[in-house]
Amino acid sequence: MITVILTWDAGESGYPSDLYARDVRRTAGGKAVSCRWSVGSRRGGLGRGDRVFLFRQNRERGIVASGAVTGSSVFADAHWEAPTRQAWYITVRWDTVLPVEDRLSVEKLLAGVPTHHWNHVLGSGQRLYPPSDEQLERLWWSHLAVLRASPAGLTAEPVPVSAAVTPAGSAEAVPIEKIGRSTYSLPSSESAVAVKREADLVARYQEHLETLGHTCARYRIRPPGEPYDLYTDLFDQTAGVLYEAKGVVTRDAIRMAVGQLLDYSRHIPGLPERAVLLPAQPGDDLLALLRAQNIQCVYELSPGRYGRD
């Protein structure tokens, strides 16, 4: 998953005041709202589950909303101001829309996410690279925690992604679409590709499970003594199986998945079954490694078809 900044010029045509006020009320009441949003000149590289923030430009600048991409790809349609022109869009679901006066101000962004050029966000669809993406995630949820603690604070409790909210020593199931990015370290641009493949694989398998009538979630875990949360990839609540996905079928990736499953599962009530989710069947020795750890292997055979070892 990647993180992208969408922009709003603060004008009425971009986000009409009545719709904006409605979305503030709905997300304050705990309901997500869906819409399409322009991604500027971007033609691709965005897909379901990617993290998005809405950055208000021109006046009273700052971030006023957060959410996730729900569409599978960028698409073209008529421009929102000039129907004879074409614009590029993505469908998103906002989990939080704040009143302008409660925005995460550009001054706080400059101080808390200093590696991104907040005074030079020239168009919608700009990607936020590490470490700026994690810095923004923590800053955003800390900002929401402060608002909730204020006398007129938020009435809803959005799913937190930072150290500001989750009690130490806790583990709870949370909706998949309300969690930010989950990554593992690979060199440079290879990491982004691997993470994207992993997110797409999880989305496909989740859809497969749900067509079978299963309920899916993720676990947010705060280990005792740790400052940040851990997030699992997928938990099948119906069958009681914890999945760790990898976008590549390599020994390093599978060994990492084994370690993550052993770590996560000991924090989850009921000691769930464990499984690695892969885009293809691994070799015999890697399957033997998983069996030795009592970990299942689920792998994609073709769209909608999966093998299990």
Side-chain angles (χ1 to χ4, degrees):
M1 255 176 275
I2 65 171
T3 298
V4 169
I5 302 300
L6 304 179
T7 60
W8 171 32
D9 65 2
E12 182 72 11
S13 62
Y15 207 159
S17 55
D18 58 337
L19 294 182
Y20 182 64
R22 181 204 66 181
D23 291 350
V24 168
R25 289 193 304 271
R26 287 186 177 179
T27 58
K31 296 180 180 179
V33 293
S34 297
C35 69
R36 69 177 188 177
W37 203 271
S38 167
V39 291
S41 60
R42 180 180 281 272
R43 299 292 186 270
L46 276 173
R48 182 164 48 176
D50 286 335
R51 185 71 162 142
V52 289
F53 291 90
L54 183 60
F55 184 60
R56 178 182 161 106
Q57 299 267 53
N58 293 332
R59 63 182 188 275
E60 297 173 303
R61 299 166 60 218
I63 289 178
V64 296
S66 65
V69 174
T70 56
S72 59
S73 62
V74 175
F75 63 93
D77 204 345
H79 193 279
W80 65 96
E81 285 186 317
T84 58
R85 293 165 49 200
Q86 182 175 263
W88 295 87
Y89 300 91
I90 196 72
T91 54
V92 302
R93 180 184 291 117
W94 300 124
D95 55 62
T96 304
V97 181
L98 297 179
V100 173
E101 59 270 23
D102 287 341
R103 70 193 180 281
L104 178 58
S105 69
V106 70
E107 292 79 14
K108 291 180 179 178
L109 290 168
L110 289 167
V113 192
T115 51
H116 193 70
H117 301 293
W118 295 105
N119 287 323
H120 300 281
V121 180
L122 302 180
S124 195
Q126 185 178 101
R127 181 175 174 186
L128 205 63
Y129 289 92
S132 298
D133 51 356
E134 296 288 359
Q135 291 171 344
L136 176 57
E137 200 70 75
R138 290 194 295 269
L139 184 63
W140 176 246
W141 291 107
S142 296
H143 179 69
L144 296 185
V146 171
L147 289 176
R148 284 195 299 276
S150 68
L154 299 177
T155 58
E157 179 78 12
V159 178
V161 191
S162 78
V165 219
T166 316
S170 69
E172 63 174 321
V174 293
I176 292 174
E177 67 271 13
K178 289 196 174 185
I179 295 296
R181 60 193 297 275
S182 174
T183 68
Y184 56 91
S185 297
L186 288 174
S188 62
S189 61
E190 184 182 353
S191 177
V193 173
V195 169
K196 179 62 176 168
R197 288 174 179 166
E198 176 184 313
D200 289 345
L201 178 63
V202 169
R204 291 194 299 273
Y205 192 62
Q206 178 190 353
E207 184 176 359
H208 169 72
L209 289 176
E210 289 175 346
T211 61
L212 299 177
H214 291 217
T215 301
C216 299
R218 298 176 83 171
Y219 261 91
R220 181 180 67 239
I221 301 167
R222 173 66 64 84
E226 294 289 331
Y228 301 116
D229 296 339
L230 303 175
Y231 302 99
T232 67
D233 283 334
L234 181 67
F235 182 64
D236 181 346
Q237 294 178 296
T238 303
V241 181
L242 177 66
Y243 291 90
E244 179 62 31
K246 291 301 171 204
V248 291
V249 186
T250 63
R251 184 170 296 272
D252 284 348
I254 291 174
R255 289 170 66 186
M256 181 174 290
V258 169
Q260 288 172 291
L261 285 168
L262 293 175
D263 186 14
Y264 297 154
S265 61
R266 63 196 179 93
H267 295 286
I268 295 174
L271 295 176
E273 294 185 32
R274 299 170 297 208
V276 173
L277 177 61
L278 299 171
Q281 184 176 8
D284 290 342
D285 188 59
L286 292 173
L287 286 172
L289 167 65
L290 294 173
R291 291 190 204 106
Q293 301 301 318
N294 198 27
I295 294 174
Q296 303 171 44
C297 181
V298 175
Y299 47 89
E300 194 168 38
L301 297 170
S302 62
R305 296 181 59 244
Y306 297 88
R308 183 181 292 268
D309 187 279

